[in-house]
DNA sequence: CTGAAAGCGCTTACAG
DNA sequence: CTGAAAGCGCTTACAG
């Protein structure tokens, strides 16, 4: 480890090799146009030859800009955190920024500690990644640099929050079911305490109402985000209401459980009962039997857009309010037309 | 955003308030013992009052230590990356270190770029997180600071690699099945190109052999890491060899597929056929029907141990070779004794 | 167009 | 025990 520790090459080395002062070398490398073309060429050549990498520390100390962003997450272990984080990291790298990662793990003390740490490291801005899409208290008052909230909405409207659009996603899914001729549509979802569950259910009912339909079973079945709950709920639903011809699920795990139970009860998916999931969690949705039609939240784009807003703020153009990223319907085999003949399956 | 930008307080401010020089203030804060107790007290008080946070940049420029680690991942999106990353982040935070995250996403160009970036930022060390537990080319020659490899083994034995112990995990799982009286044990796993698949299969056969058993079906069924493959393989196995009483699976997704197919074929799990998974991926293992007995790789500990080795190297005590973290068997309902009477299920 | 000088916020010999 | 001074590697007025 660290076997060939070579002295790092410094701007002074470059200047010496190019035969100029460090001041001139600095200007040449930073493309300030007070430098003669020939001089610039020599400096760039020297830098290239020495594989010069300017010290981000020294530059940061001088300019106050560290080209570093603090990414403060509530709970990195959550499934949706990673795609968002990838989007953030991607967009930052394009802007030559690096990201300091801090995961508070739902602990307020730890979060406070990390906020101080990131400030001490003089990050240029913060990305605050929520652990649910519920509204959360703004952290901005304690943070002296621009902040953008992702996935979870800040309770201060002066902040900017980049969010998934559950109204839109649920509408896509529901319209899809309606357009397939489904008329007895039930809804199985997670705990009512989650904004995601409530928003998706509300949007579903709005779309059904505008199609002249009522929610099968009367009310959404709130439960938990698990296959187990999906299995239980599907059995309850089909026992109470055998005419159900579609089940919209609050996430893909629930949908996988629903699909298993529906098949176990001898109904065909999608012919007898069509099923839609939510989230497009690949291992559950694409690998389900049958593969699930579902809603993709475009999480990576959410992360990228958040960074765009942060960059704008760093350039003195802060934004505020809520930005919603549209969702995308992914159609697979768990949904199909209502009155189709039994399909000649090649499954 | 960034509404109340306050001037950051500097060591000079603290020194002034405490009525000492910056040199003395610095010594007092860094607990060097050339400072009078009373003086130290005044300085600490002043720092506290001003909520002083030393500039990591300035300190780093001076000392050459940035208290920052570069975490270079091959593919953060992989399931096992997150627990390891959490372990790393946790252990680093305990050491007052921050982590710069760079995900190469399997792209060599991008990886090179990130290595240069991290070096330019003068990280004190690297953690290189592999995207599989296959052996990988060492990156150490290009990196002038200590490096520790995690999950994927470096091909240079002078490097230190902290790995999961698949031999151990597979042994735990197999011994568990054997101890339950299972005698016709088959193995369904991922692609043979994966070291994880090969190592787990090898260990399984060793344990079986030492118990005087042969692998049911003659050879492991290599396929893919999916539920679908689990379903397919289970049907093949039970058709060809109806006496199979246990199926060991290369991961939890496969096991979930196997469990679904076994039940569909009218066999009871665990009574007729016991099933073990691998990975303890909660959403698949704990939420399976029935919940899966599986092997936990202790990924978070792997990350923490890697950091310990890195810290040791930073203290001038580098290690080398392979360090393996023992696994842990998680017993749930998918395994049980062989000749039990039909259970009075409360499921 | 070029370079000497000051300074970013610290730490660390060194002198007193 | 305390403090003036130099220096970490840059950038940026400023003078020439």
């Amino acid at each position: 480890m660290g076997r060939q520790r070579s002295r790092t090459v410094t701007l002074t080395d470059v200047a010496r090799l190019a035969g100029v002062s460090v001041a001139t070398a600095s200007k040449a490398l930073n493309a300030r146009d007070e430098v003669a073309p020939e001089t610039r060429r020599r400096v760039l050549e020297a830098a290239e030859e020495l594989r010069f990498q300017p010290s981000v520390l020294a530059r940061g100390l001088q300019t106050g800009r560290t080209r570093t962003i603090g990414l403060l997450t509530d709970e990195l272990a959550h499934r949706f955190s990673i795609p968002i984080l990838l989007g953030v990291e991607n967009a930052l790298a394009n802007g030559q920024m690096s990201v300091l990662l801090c995961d508070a793990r739902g602990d307020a003390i730890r979060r406070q500690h990390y906020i101080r740490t990131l400030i001490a490291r003089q990050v240029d801005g913060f990305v605050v990644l929520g652990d649910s899409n519920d509204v959360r208290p703004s952290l901005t008052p304690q943070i002296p640099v621009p902040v953008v909230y992702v996935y979870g909405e800040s309770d201060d409207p002066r902040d900017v929050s980049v969010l998934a659009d559950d109204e839109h996603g649920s509408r896509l899914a529901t319209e899809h079911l309606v357009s397939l001729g489904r008329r007895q549509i039930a809804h199985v979802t997670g705990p009512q305490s989650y904004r995601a569950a409530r928003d998706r259910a509300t949007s579903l009912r709005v779309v059904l109402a505008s199609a002249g339909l009522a929610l099968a079973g009367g009310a959404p079945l709130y439960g938990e985000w698990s296959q187990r709950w999906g299995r239980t709920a599907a059995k309850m639903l089909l026992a109470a209401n055998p005419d159900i011809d579609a089940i919209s699920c609050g996430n893909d795990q629930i949908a996988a459980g629903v699909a298993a139970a529906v098949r176990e009860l001898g109904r065909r998916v999608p012919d007898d009962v069509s099923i839609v999931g939510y989230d497009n969690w690949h291992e559950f949705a694409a690998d389900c039997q049958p593969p699930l039609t579902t809603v993709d939240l475009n999480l990576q784009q959410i992360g990228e857009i958040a960074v765009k807003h942060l960059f704008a703020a760093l350039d003195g153009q802060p934004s505020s309010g809520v930005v919603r990223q549209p969702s995308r319907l992914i159609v697979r085999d768990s949904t199909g037309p209502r009155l189709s003949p039994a399909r000649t399956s090649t499954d």
Side-chain angles (χ1 to χ4, degrees), chain A residues 268-285:
Chain A
R268 292 170 304 176
V269 180
D271 306 78
D272 300 328
V273 180
S274 279
I275 298 171
V276 294
Y278 212 104
D279 286 348
N280 196 25
W281 185 353
H282 191 268
E283 284 85 350
F284 276 98

Side-chain angles (χ1 to χ4, degrees), chain A residues 67-275:
Chain A
R67 295 188 160 280
T68 308
I69 292 300
L71 178 52
L72 184 61
T73 63
D74 286 330
E75 188 58 85
L76 200 56
H78 281 182
R79 208 205 92 260
F80 53 78
S81 295
I82 303 310
I84 296 175
L85 183 153
L86 290 177
V88 167
E89 201 239 4
N90 207 30
L92 287 175
N94 290 342
Q96 306 268 54
M97 292 273 199
S98 293
V99 49
L100 282 169
L101 178 69
C102 296
D103 182 23
R105 293 174 210 207
D107 181 322
I109 306 286
R110 191 189 278 255
R111 191 203 296 130
Q112 286 308 317
H113 168 75
Y114 277 139
I115 290 175
R116 294 196 71 185
T117 298
L118 290 170
I119 291 173
R121 285 177 179 270
Q122 288 166 267
V123 297
D124 295 333
F126 274 66
V127 173
V128 177
L129 177 53
D131 65 349
S132 80
N133 59 4
D134 293 314
V135 173
R136 55 172 301 148
S138 176
L139 301 175
T140 310
Q142 352 172 13
I143 301 176
V145 292
V147 186
V148 49
Y149 295 80
V150 194
Y151 199 74
E153 180 179 349
S154 164
D155 66 356
D156 186 335
R158 291 173 299 175
D159 293 327
V160 61
S161 304
V162 182
L163 310 177
D165 193 340
D166 278 327
E167 185 279 333
H168 178 245
S170 183
R171 179 153 48 81
L172 291 178
T174 312
E175 287 173 351
H176 173 64
L177 291 175
V178 170
S179 76
L180 289 169
R182 304 289 159 174
R183 292 299 173 260
Q184 296 282 331
I185 302 174
H187 189 49
V188 181
T189 189
Q192 191 162 9
S193 59
Y194 280 77
R195 182 182 185 182
R198 296 192 306 273
D199 285 358
R200 292 168 193 177
T202 300
S203 177
L204 170 87
R205 302 182 88 154
V206 167
V207 173
L208 288 184
S210 73
L213 299 173
L215 184 61
L221 267 67
Y222 289 103
E224 48 181 68
W225 303 113
S226 70
Q227 292 184 82
R228 176 184 301 265
W229 165 238
R231 293 190 295 263
T232 304
K235 287 173 191 161
M236 288 167 47
L237 276 174
L238 290 177
N241 186 348
D243 294 335
I244 280 173
D245 59 13
I247 303 178
S248 155
C249 302
N251 78 355
D252 291 332
Q253 285 172 267
I254 293 173
V258 165
V262 167
R263 286 164 41 92
E264 204 171 311
L265 291 170
R267 312 289 186 98
R268 292 170 304 176
V269 180
D271 306 78
D272 300 328
V273 180
S274 279
I275 298 171

Side-chain angles (χ1 to χ4, degrees), chain A residues 306-324:
Chain A
V307 169
K308 283 193 186 142
H309 284 270
L310 190 60
F311 281 176
L314 294 178
D315 286 344
Q317 307 285 335
S319 44
S320 64
V322 167
V323 178
R324 291 197 187 274

Side-chain angles (χ1 to χ4, degrees), chain A residues 18-34:
Chain A
V20 297
S21 69
V22 287
T24 300
S26 171
K27 287 170 199 154
L29 289 170
N30 292 305
R32 312 182 119 278
D33 45 33
E34 322 140 17

Side-chain angles (χ1 to χ4, degrees), chain A residues 2 19-20 64 135 292 295 340:
Chain A
V20 297
V135 173
L292 293 173
V295 174
S340 69

